[in-house]
Amino acid sequence: MTLQAFRKQSASSRLFRSFTGIEQRIAIATLAIGLLFVGVDAARAHEFKIGAIEIEHPWSRATPPGAKVGGGYLVIANDGDSDDTLVAATLESAGRTEIHQMSVDNGVMKMRPVEGGIAVPAHGKAELAPNGFHLMFMDLKQPLKQGEKVKGTLTFAKAGTVDVVFEIDAIGAMPKHEHHGDGDMPGMKMEN
Amino acid sequence: MTRRRIAAIAIAAVVALAGSAVVGYQLSDRGASTALRTGIGGPIDLPATTGKRFSTADLGGKPYAVFFGFTRCPNICPTTLSDLTLDMEQLGPLADRLQVLFVTVDPERDTPDSMKDYLSAFDPRIVGLSGTPEEIAAVAKAYRVYYEKVPTEGGDYTMNHTATVYLMDGKGELTGTLSLEEEQPTRVAKLKRLAESG
Ligand SMILES: [Cu+2]
């Protein structure tokens, strides 16, 4: 044990001993157990990983009967030192999948295929969401139903291809995580 | 000028200002149920998901909300239809006092039958309209709706189109719009006012 670690440990045990009352110790133990569960919850979050690339919560929306298209949304985090690019994707129930960008310009909804894929900068993120970059699932063989999980893949120029599962949400659903500018809270993403 | 006179003028000025503020408030409050005189709008008479032709002339003075889209739209159109469905649920019976119309800008692929299937996921009172490309072009022109095909990789195409929901009064005149950025209470309030104007 290094001197530093020893200091840390003795400091924390001193701290714990300073809580003399049984209530105080129970409270601290409860808090510690609570934190343990937070950790378990985060580990169970809907995430996928390949190399330095981490995929958070791939999801889609339920489609009306007979609909031929759907959108795919997710957040990509790149923990690596080099840039990567999302170049392709598939969904089991779609004939093919393209990468598109949507924008609303002066009340006009515009959509265009994205040339060359979506860049994920080193130590950065890329987000695919209903009102921006998204996967466009085309030629759907059957409607996407709320509550279903549908298999698919994502292919990155450097990291390669990773199997993922898209969770199907309600027709008009919006991304679950909102940006509050205070970083990411993986445990929050499973809220429904 | 005596002090008393100055005071009288000041009081008169305050009263005048307050009066104009009240008038201004009443005008802005009436905004949603007053025709905007933009020239946007016109009669609609198209093959519908009801199995017959649908004509705004048959509405008998009922106000209507109309928007243009297509069923191969991944986001805006299903979201708008889903929003309108939730809004109509909020309005309750009042929603019967307006008509919601969804006009396709992709009539080559969206037939009244396929649209009927698609719309079954939403409020059953929403009527879908298709037609010949010429019929759709004429209606889109009247409502100043922009639409164009955008080719995709697979030799397929998607569409860019105006996503605004137009709120039309019983005389068929534009009284307001709904947009995607609005929160539900705002949309419901506008639709309520529209329904009550009929
Ligand atoms: Cu798209």
Side-chain angles (χ1 to χ4, degrees), chain B residues 126-189:
Chain B
I126 299 173
V127 169
L129 302 168
S130 184
T132 64
E134 293 73 31
E135 283 177 312
I136 295 299
V139 172
K141 196 178 170 203
Y143 285 80
R144 309 242 182 100
V145 164
Y146 169 84
Y147 65 102
E148 64 168 352
K149 285 183 186 175
V150 182
T152 61
E153 289 162 23
D156 212 343
Y157 64 89
T158 180
M159 313 235 13
N160 293 343
H161 63 89
T162 301
T164 308
V165 179
Y166 295 103
L167 306 178
M168 314 297 296
D169 70 11
K171 296 191 202 85
E173 296 201 51
L174 183 74
T175 64
T177 59
L178 298 183
S179 83
L180 276 175
E181 293 80 29
E182 282 167 345
E183 299 289 328
Q184 200 199 15
T186 310
R187 294 196 315 262
V188 171

Side-chain angles (χ1 to χ4, degrees), chain A residues 100-101 111 134-136, chain B residues 74 158:
Chain A
H100 283 187
Q101 184 175 19
M111 205 155 68
H134 60 273
L135 303 176
M136 179 93 163
Chain B
T158 180

Side-chain angles (χ1 to χ4, degrees), chain A residues 7-27:
Chain A
R7 274 193 191 136
K8 237 187 220 164
Q9 198 206 27
S10 59
S12 62
S13 56
R14 245 184 288 135
L15 187 67
F16 191 73
R17 275 198 300 272
S18 72
F19 292 100
T20 45
I22 185 75
E23 292 91 346
Q24 276 176 322
R25 287 191 181 185
I26 288 173

